[in-house]
Amino acid sequence: MHMADALLSPAVGGALWAGTLATIIYSAKKLKEKMDEKMIPLMGMLGAFIFAGQMINFTIPMTGSSGHIGGGMLLAILLGPFAAFLVIASVLVVQALFFADGGLLALGANIWNLGVYPCFIGYPLIYRIIVRGSKSPKLITVASVLGAVVGLQLGALSVVLETKLSGITELPFNTFLMLMQPIHLAVGLVEGFITAGIVVYVRSLRPDIVDDLEGVKTISSGTSLKKVLAVMGLLAVITGGAFSWFASTHPDGLEWSIEKIYGRTEVPEKANPVTEGLSKIQGKTAVLPDYSLPSKVKQETNEAWPAVDPGTSLSGIVGGIMVLALILILGMGIKVMRTHREKS
């Protein structure tokens, strides 16, 4: 559900950038007040895993479409909403800058759509209320699925509204809406069950991580935490390095919806100085565009499956390392600010 710049006007894109930056600053402030330093490596490993997980599109049967996890709900359950939002923002920043996945003008909207709703609506207003400290895997599963579905439905609705407000495409509002919501309902259901499975597994190793329902979590040290970190790190490497070959070749829910209207997965881009400038910047920063080696030209049709591609594997591993590094730097920066505040 990564939006391209062609869907957004500079005014709408700028407004979403402002809202996203404000939420990032607010989240960092909340963590600065009470962040557990042991959460930083967990944030990094989970971020690397989500980056890899988003590379794998799964086919939605009988639709010709596909979807991938957003990860916001999983991150919110394991990290709390504020840390989760910073992690999902880090993932999307790395994707946009270094892999040209989603436009730079649309980056603020993408972070908002994939981060705000699961972290600040799906988790506190659905998951936390349903679970209420329950240790039942069934209840955790129900809460995870409902939280993921609501978060993704709100995100899909926002894509439609942001496109409508931009007024630069000919996508009819009602048709676009009626395509986007059902297809992302299916994606949300799959993500919800994936989220539940991982949460239940992590709880079997470290119940305190899942059972702590506070906005800013605190965790105790122990060997089982190291096991969680090792497992998530291994999953990130395997997912990005090998499982990514098996990603569906069908267009994702947003591309599929556009294709149903336009006959192709992308809308014509109306040139303006803002998008042209940002496109040039992205062209220079994207070291592995489209998760492939720059010298390789991907064929749009008749692609082999599975797509055994060293460029894809390299992208999955390098991208995970980039996300991990960015989150560690961000976490250490918050730690330094907190220490400085305490001393003063």
Side-chain angles (χ1 to χ4, degrees):
M1 198 169 62
H2 294 61
M3 296 183 75
D5 287 347
L7 295 174
L8 293 175
S9 67
V12 173
L16 269 296
W17 256 110
T20 292
L21 287 174
T23 309
I24 289 174
I25 293 171
Y26 176 72
S27 297
K29 182 179 178 182
K30 296 294 289 186
L31 291 179
K32 185 179 70 173
E33 294 173 356
K34 190 189 170 183
M35 186 175 72
D36 188 331
E37 295 177 12
K38 293 185 288 295
M39 292 293 292
I40 298 175
L42 183 59
M43 290 167 62
M45 286 300 183
L46 285 171
F49 170 70
I50 293 301
F51 176 90
Q54 288 194 6
M55 292 179 65
I56 304 178
N57 279 41
F58 45 83
T59 297
I60 306 299
M62 298 181 294
T63 66
S65 178
S66 68
H68 61 73
I69 65 169
M73 194 67 214
L74 174 63
L75 293 171
I77 295 171
L78 298 181
L79 300 173
F82 307 111
F85 186 77
L86 294 183
V87 171
I88 198 69
S90 299
V91 170
L92 293 171
V93 165
V94 169
Q95 288 176 343
L97 281 178
F98 302 109
F99 300 91
D101 189 0
L104 294 185
L105 175 64
L107 180 56
N110 286 329
I111 296 174
W112 183 275
N113 297 338
L114 287 169
V116 167
Y117 300 118
C119 294
F120 299 112
I121 295 178
Y123 174 71
L125 301 182
I126 297 175
Y127 178 88
R128 192 160 60 184
I129 290 176
I130 292 175
V131 172
R132 293 181 179 175
S134 171
K135 300 177 182 179
S136 167
K138 290 184 179 179
L139 203 56
I140 289 174
T141 299
V142 170
S144 297
V145 172
L146 287 178
V149 165
V150 170
L152 202 55
Q153 284 291 288
L154 290 173
L157 175 61
S158 284
V159 170
V160 177
L161 291 174
E162 290 154 10
T163 302
K164 176 65 175 179
L165 290 172
S166 294
I168 61 173
T169 72
E170 297 177 0
L171 290 170
F173 177 80
N174 289 338
T175 305
F176 194 24
L177 181 68
M178 293 305 295
L179 289 168
M180 283 286 287
Q181 300 305 133
I183 199 67
H184 284 96
L185 172 60
V187 175
L189 288 170
V190 175
E191 177 173 356
F193 282 108
I194 292 173
T195 297
I198 296 174
V199 169
V200 171
Y201 173 72
V202 171
R203 193 182 181 283
S204 70
L205 299 176
R206 288 300 300 259
D208 57 315
I209 294 176
V210 177
D211 293 345
D212 184 353
L213 300 178
E214 295 298 320
V216 180
K217 297 192 177 217
T218 57
I219 57 177
S220 58
S221 58
T223 55
S224 54
L225 178 59
K226 294 179 181 179
K227 186 175 181 179
V228 172
L229 295 175
V231 168
M232 297 311 301
L234 181 61
L235 282 176
V237 172
I238 295 175
T239 302
F243 289 169
S244 55
W245 300 339
F246 297 88
S248 172
T249 57
H250 294 306
D252 67 20
L254 175 56
E255 294 171 336
W256 175 84
S257 299
I258 293 172
E259 185 178 37
K260 287 292 183 181
I261 299 170
Y262 267 106
R264 52 186 182 275
T265 58
E266 296 179 355
V267 299
E269 185 168 350
K270 295 183 179 180
N272 65 71
V274 174
T275 55
E276 288 179 350
L278 291 174
S279 180
K280 290 179 181 178
I281 293 173
Q282 192 174 45
K284 294 178 180 178
T285 61
V287 293
L288 292 166
D290 198 24
Y291 305 99
S292 184
L293 297 173
S295 59
K296 180 175 180 180
V297 178
K298 284 196 170 184
Q299 296 181 355
E300 294 296 329
T301 59
N302 299 323
E303 292 184 339
W305 188 92
V308 179
D309 183 356
T312 301
S313 299
L314 179 64
S315 298
I317 295 172
V318 170
I321 293 173
M322 286 180 172
V323 171
L324 173 62
L326 178 59
I327 293 171
L328 291 179
I329 292 171
L330 181 62
M332 295 307 297
I334 294 174
K335 176 184 174 182
V336 169
M337 288 189 294
R338 180 182 177 185
T339 301
H340 177 74
R341 188 196 65 173
E342 291 174 349
K343 288 182 178 179
S344 60

